[in-house]
């Protein structure tokens, strides 16, 4: 099996060049959607795409597309990721997936000329929610036709602005958003950093993703009774903080007992009145609970709700819960997973199958296309921080898998 030559120095320099746009400190990047840095980054990607022989266009929300038209026409095979970052994030989250797609398609174009099936590289405009917390996959939602007219002014930033304001400020017309919708994407493959420690622990450069997790955010509220922290005996208290502490431990235990890849996190808590010498009146905390298997996910939620119901019955306090986010898991296309797994084996690139505990644009594309993801190793599992790091060699091996996968799909007869 001959392997595609992926120029390691070129991959490294592209990662560096892109990360210089919005650079924070030594290794961080802040590149929020529709910011001047975001504009400059897409301009650079556009130049690279043109240099690779791709026909470039931008859609109404600013997704940047580079197309290599297929001789057979038909629906497209798309690869890419998001160009926006956390504030600050690292150099690799999102950016590497675009560089990977561009580099893979460039190598294939040089080696084999025009593909049979159309191939596109995409720089998706928004995934991180780092400027507008509820923008929530703005770019891929536009491609799916899921942005409602009221979302344009209703999607508010961390500073007082709407996403419509931000679009208009860089010359995009929100009224045109419906024109970004696509119904001619057959396949979407995203390469991404793992953002977890699993591949590093297994000493593997590459993971083939079989499913992307589903998650739910529960909001739990406990009302007790505020009293003096010294004068009120322990046995007579209605202490919602003590109950919250117990429940946090119990929901964690539920996930641990179910076993990986079940995960549960309490990362947000609010206490009233939040003073050291007052037993609190009220505590609110949120439970983030995830599982990539639909049935196992519901089982995890059943256990969490049983834990909460038991506490509501026995604690003598008022405890309520609801959930405000509920995203189903998205299995990747089994045939596409098999293909990428076979490709990695044929190329002698060490790899394993795994699920994604983070959500990605791919999850959205799963509604309209066959999808798959390639993970590459994250050092210490770190991401969403300037500390995030992926070795160029691991990135290049992931790109090799992507390139050979795309070759078999779009250039080959394996369709
Ligand atoms: Zn990402």
């Amino acid at each position: 099996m001959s392997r595609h030559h992926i120029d390691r120095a070129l991959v490294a320099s592209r990662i560096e060049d892109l990360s210089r746009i919005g650079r924070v400190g030594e290794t961080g990047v802040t590149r929020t959607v529709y910011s001047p840095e975001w504009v400059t980054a897409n301009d650079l990607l556009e130049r690279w795409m043109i240099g690779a022989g791709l026909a470039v266009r931008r859609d109404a929300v600013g997704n940047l597309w580079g197309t290599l038209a297929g001789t057979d026409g038909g629906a497209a095979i798309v690869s890419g990721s998001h160009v926006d970052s956390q504030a600050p994030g690292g150099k690799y989250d999102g950016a590497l997936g675009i560089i990977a797609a561009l580099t893979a398609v460039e190598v294939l174009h040089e080696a084999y000329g025009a593909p049979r099936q159309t191939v596109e590289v995409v720089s998706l405009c928004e995934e991180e929610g780092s400027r507008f917390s509820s923008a929530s996959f703005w770019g891929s939602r536009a491609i799916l036709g899921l942005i409602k007219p009221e979302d344009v002014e209703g999607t508010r930033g961390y500073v007082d602005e709407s996403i419509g304001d931000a679009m208009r400020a860089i010359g995009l017309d929100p009224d045109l958003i419906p024109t970004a919708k696509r119904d001619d994407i057959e396949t979407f493959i995203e390469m991404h950093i793992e953002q977890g420690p699993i591949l590093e622990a297994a000493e593997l450069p590459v993971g083939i993703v079989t499913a992307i997790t589903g998650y739910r955010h529960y909001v739990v509220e406990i009302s007790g009774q505020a009293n003096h922290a010294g004068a009120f005996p322990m046995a007579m208290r209605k202490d919602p903080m003590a109950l919250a502490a117990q429940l946090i431990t119990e929901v964690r235990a539920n996930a641990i007992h179910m076993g990986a890849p079940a995960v549960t996190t309490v990362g947000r808590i609010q206490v009233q009145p939040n003073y050291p010498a007052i037993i609190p009146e009220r505590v609110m905390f949120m439970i983030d609970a995830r599982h990539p298997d639909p049935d196992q996910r519901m089982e995890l939620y059943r256990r969490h709700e049983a834990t909460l119901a038991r506490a509501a019955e026995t604690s003598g306090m008022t405890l309520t819960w609801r959930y405000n986010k509920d995203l189903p898991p998205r299995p990747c296309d089994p045939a596409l997973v098999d293909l990428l797994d076979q490709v990695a084996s044929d190329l002698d690139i060490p790899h394993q199958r795994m699920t994604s505990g983070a959500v990605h644009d791919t999850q959205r594309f799963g509604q309209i296309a066959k999808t798959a993801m390639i993970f590459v190793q994250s050092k210490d599992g770190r991401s969403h921080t300037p500390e995030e790091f992926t070795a160029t060699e691991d990135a290049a091996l992931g790109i090799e898998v992507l390139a050979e996968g795309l070759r078999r799909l779009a250039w080959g007869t394996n369709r």
Side-chain angles (χ1 to χ4, degrees):
M1 178 82 233
S2 71
R3 291 172 59 161
H4 303 291
H5 175 65
I6 304 301
D7 182 341
R8 269 63 175 166
L10 177 66
V11 170
S13 75
R14 281 180 169 167
I15 292 166
E16 273 314 300
D17 289 348
L18 197 54
S19 74
R20 262 186 226 113
I21 305 168
R23 177 65 62 87
V24 176
E26 288 285 299
T27 57
V29 179
T30 294
R31 197 165 52 228
T32 58
V33 65
Y34 305 141
S35 64
E37 298 77 25
W38 177 96
V39 170
T40 307
N42 271 324
D43 288 347
L44 176 62
L45 287 166
E46 180 172 26
R47 289 198 294 279
W48 287 344
M49 285 179 178
I50 291 168
L54 307 182
V56 173
R57 68 181 185 85
R58 297 182 195 225
D59 67 21
V61 291
N63 294 314
L64 171 67
W65 300 86
T67 303
L68 207 51
T71 52
D72 289 1
I77 297 169
V78 179
S79 184
S81 192
H82 58 94
V83 73
D84 67 319
S85 79
Q86 288 288 330
K91 300 176 190 176
Y92 305 90
D93 186 349
L96 181 60
I98 307 169
I99 291 168
L102 171 74
T103 305
V105 170
E106 183 173 42
V107 163
L108 294 169
H109 189 206
E110 273 169 22
Y112 306 106
R116 293 179 52 184
Q117 190 170 353
T118 296
V119 176
E120 292 182 82
V121 176
V122 65
S123 162
L124 296 164
C125 71
E126 198 282 337
E127 192 266 355
E128 299 283 13
S130 50
R131 181 172 178 184
F132 303 93
S133 65
S134 62
S136 158
F137 307 92
W138 191 249
S140 38
R141 276 168 63 211
I143 295 164
L144 270 60
L146 294 178
I147 295 178
K148 300 189 217 58
E150 61 267 30
D151 294 341
V152 172
E153 298 313 316
T155 301
R156 311 297 302 181
Y158 289 100
V159 298
D160 190 30
E161 59 176 349
S162 72
I163 201 163
D165 296 336
M167 289 180 70
R168 284 183 287 267
I170 60 162
L172 294 169
D173 180 356
D175 291 342
L176 298 178
I177 288 175
T179 65
K181 186 171 187 291
R182 295 278 303 262
D183 51 15
D184 58 347
I185 297 174
E186 181 209 77
T187 299
F188 181 79
I189 305 177
E190 181 175 13
M191 189 177 112
H192 202 280
I193 56 170
E194 181 202 338
Q195 303 181 275
I198 293 169
L199 290 174
E200 186 177 54
E203 299 184 355
L204 296 171
V206 167
I208 308 296
V209 177
T210 55
I212 302 168
T213 196
Y215 74 99
R216 189 178 273 187
H217 280 175
Y218 285 96
V219 180
V220 183
E221 292 182 306
I222 312 171
S223 296
Q225 193 177 57
N227 276 307
H228 194 284
F232 226 79
M234 296 302 284
M236 295 174 67
R237 297 181 179 198
K238 290 184 175 177
D239 182 347
M241 184 74 113
L243 182 57
Q246 178 196 322
L247 289 171
I248 291 166
T249 305
E250 288 182 18
V251 294
R252 258 179 57 81
N254 288 342
I256 292 166
H257 287 149
M258 270 190 72
V263 285
T264 293
T265 306
V266 175
R268 180 171 170 80
I269 187 163
Q270 285 179 331
V271 181
Q272 284 172 0
N274 205 14
Y275 285 104
I278 304 176
I279 301 163
E281 177 78 26
R282 188 182 155 275
V283 171
M284 182 284 296
F285 65 94
M286 291 181 70
I287 304 169
D288 174 308
R290 308 182 182 214
H291 203 294
D293 179 87
D295 295 339
Q296 294 287 300
R297 186 173 84 109
M298 298 320 288
E299 171 62 18
L300 180 64
Y301 299 161
R302 198 191 57 71
R303 293 187 191 192
H304 286 344
E305 290 181 18
T307 296
L308 296 170
R310 209 161 37 239
E313 234 168 70
T314 59
S315 66
M317 284 176 270
T318 306
L319 185 153
T320 62
W321 73 87
R322 62 192 163 84
Y323 53 85
N324 64 2
K325 271 192 182 169
D326 189 44
L327 197 64
R330 183 70 64 180
C332 294
D333 180 71
L336 208 49
V337 171
D338 286 347
L339 173 82
L340 294 174
D341 195 339
Q342 186 62 49
V343 162
S345 296
D346 291 348
L347 297 175
D348 288 325
I349 294 173
H351 64 285
Q352 69 170 40
R353 292 183 178 220
M354 62 191 298
T355 55
S356 172
V359 295
H360 295 287
D361 287 295
T362 298
Q363 197 153 18
R364 298 283 172 168
F365 279 93
Q367 294 176 43
I368 58 163
K370 295 187 273 189
T371 57
M373 291 190 79
I374 298 164
F375 275 173
V376 289
Q377 192 187 109
S378 291
K379 184 174 189 303
D380 301 326
R382 308 284 313 275
S383 74
H384 283 192
T385 159
E387 309 298 312
E388 138 190 318
F389 177 79
T390 289
T392 303
E393 182 59 22
D394 291 348
L397 292 173
I399 296 171
E400 277 197 53
V401 175
L402 177 63
E404 177 58 13
L406 291 173
R407 189 195 67 76
R408 291 186 193 184
L409 288 166
W411 274 265
T413 50
N414 185 0
R415 291 180 46 186

